[in-house]
Amino acid sequence: MNEKVLEELMAVRASGKTNMLDTNAVQRIAFDSGCYELVNFIEESRKAYVHFILTGEMPAEK
């Protein structure tokens, strides 16, 4: 997860529009907000995304 994805994730979270574990809603809100890197990150690394939401731990870079 790079800084841009983290920034976009925090922006969606701050909006309060959805539960962050509802990945489909997060992707929709991110897309509508122009947060395309977050949309792609969730699509490609859903497990790492959920791990971050549940634990706050950054996933290891591949």
Side-chain angles (χ1 to χ4, degrees):
M1 177 184 304
N2 63 37
E3 289 296 318
K4 180 70 172 170
V5 172
L6 182 60
E7 178 183 311
E8 292 178 351
L9 187 153
M10 293 303 176
V12 172
R13 186 175 83 169
S15 76
K17 293 181 180 179
T18 190
N19 180 319
M20 294 302 286
L21 291 174
D22 184 349
T23 56
N24 292 326
V26 171
Q27 283 183 298
R28 185 177 57 252
I29 293 165
F31 184 84
D32 292 345
S33 302
C35 298
Y36 305 117
E37 288 192 41
L38 177 58
V39 174
N40 289 332
F41 179 76
I42 294 172
E43 194 65 31
E44 295 172 359
S45 305
R46 192 172 306 264
K47 186 175 178 179
Y49 169 81
V50 171
H51 178 78
F52 176 77
I53 295 303
L54 291 175
T55 67
E57 296 174 0
M58 297 289 276
E61 292 291 325
K62 294 181 181 179

